Amino acid sequence: MNELVLRLGFSLVDSDSSFYSQFGYHFYSSKIDKVFSEIYNEKIHMLNLLSNSQSRLFDENKYPVLEYDIYTEEDCEKMIKEVSEYLLNEVLPEWEANPTLEFLEQKVNENLRNTPNFSGLVLAKMVNPANYPKIKAFFQKASEDWSEWDKEDLKKVTAFLDKHSQEKLMEIAEKE
């Protein structure tokens, strides 16, 4: 059974004469949701672990269109065709070949960003514990510029992860 789930979404903005539209895709894992549910003592469902938006893909020269301006049904059909081709030819083959938490950890942690997204920490501790101290140190340094709320969140996550072994985290992820 695949460990990762892909969600696709579109955003539309009504500008009276047309609709501006972009797509985005997100990966999540029920296993990681279970670990975050334990950390926060509340049900976490479909937490985005890795997201890509059309504008980010455009900025990185990975998608040729910044946004679609839809005036007609044909414009909509063109957008659906182009987005479908991109997903089928560029996104899905890589992920279908590697539908594992290990691959997701690699992708999430290859380009760390100075934002309070702790999925990379959890993934590192679960599947690549040797990488965990480096990821933790990055976020501790980055958090100097964060709000107090986010700093406390980081402390909560790292305290939980520091207290649990890789084996215990996998046990939490596997429970029904």
Side-chain angles (χ1 to χ4, degrees):
M1 181 172 124
N2 290 350
E3 296 176 356
L4 306 179
V5 175
L6 170 68
R7 291 188 308 169
L8 172 65
F10 289 89
S11 63
L12 293 169
V13 175
D14 184 353
S15 67
D16 291 331
S17 63
S18 69
F19 293 90
Y20 294 108
S21 179
Q22 288 192 342
F23 73 93
Y25 61 90
H26 319 278
F27 287 93
Y28 83 94
S29 165
S30 62
K31 291 180 179 186
I32 303 300
D33 286 351
K34 290 175 187 175
V35 174
F36 274 104
S37 294
E38 287 283 323
I39 292 170
Y40 293 111
N41 287 323
E42 64 181 74
K43 178 80 170 145
I44 305 292
H45 182 64
M46 297 179 73
L47 178 71
N48 286 338
L49 302 174
L50 183 67
S51 298
N52 259 320
S53 65
Q54 183 173 343
S55 56
R56 179 186 294 165
L57 293 167
F58 178 82
D59 290 345
E60 295 173 354
N61 295 317
K62 295 179 181 177
Y63 195 78
V65 179
L66 174 60
E67 64 186 12
Y68 290 94
D69 195 7
I70 301 172
Y71 290 92
T72 65
E73 188 174 324
E74 289 78 28
D75 293 338
C76 186
E77 289 171 0
K78 178 180 185 273
M79 175 191 68
I80 292 169
K81 180 180 184 296
E82 290 176 2
V83 170
S84 296
E85 286 175 0
Y86 176 77
L87 292 171
L88 289 171
N89 296 321
E90 302 296 326
V91 176
L92 289 179
E94 177 181 36
W95 290 92
E96 285 177 335
N98 304 290
T100 63
L101 292 178
E102 290 81 359
F103 187 70
L104 182 61
E105 187 275 332
Q106 176 189 356
K107 287 297 201 181
V108 169
N109 288 328
E110 70 185 359
N111 295 312
L112 295 173
R113 293 187 173 94
N114 183 4
T115 58
N117 177 348
F118 308 123
S119 58
L121 277 167
V122 173
L123 284 161
K125 183 74 183 233
M126 285 180 68
V127 301
N128 189 2
N131 205 21
Y132 174 71
K134 180 183 85 161
I135 306 298
K136 180 180 168 183
F138 172 85
F139 281 115
Q140 286 173 328
K141 176 75 174 142
S143 71
E144 293 171 3
D145 299 328
W146 294 354
S147 71
E148 288 304 314
W149 174 275
D150 290 331
K151 288 177 186 178
E152 288 302 314
D153 222 14
L154 175 62
K155 287 178 188 173
K156 185 175 195 166
V157 171
T158 56
F160 182 91
L161 294 175
D162 290 346
K163 191 166 51 171
H164 291 81
S165 67
Q166 176 186 25
E167 293 77 20
K168 181 62 178 172
L169 292 174
M170 292 305 283
E171 186 180 303
I172 291 168
E174 297 291 337
K175 69 180 183 183
E176 290 297 319

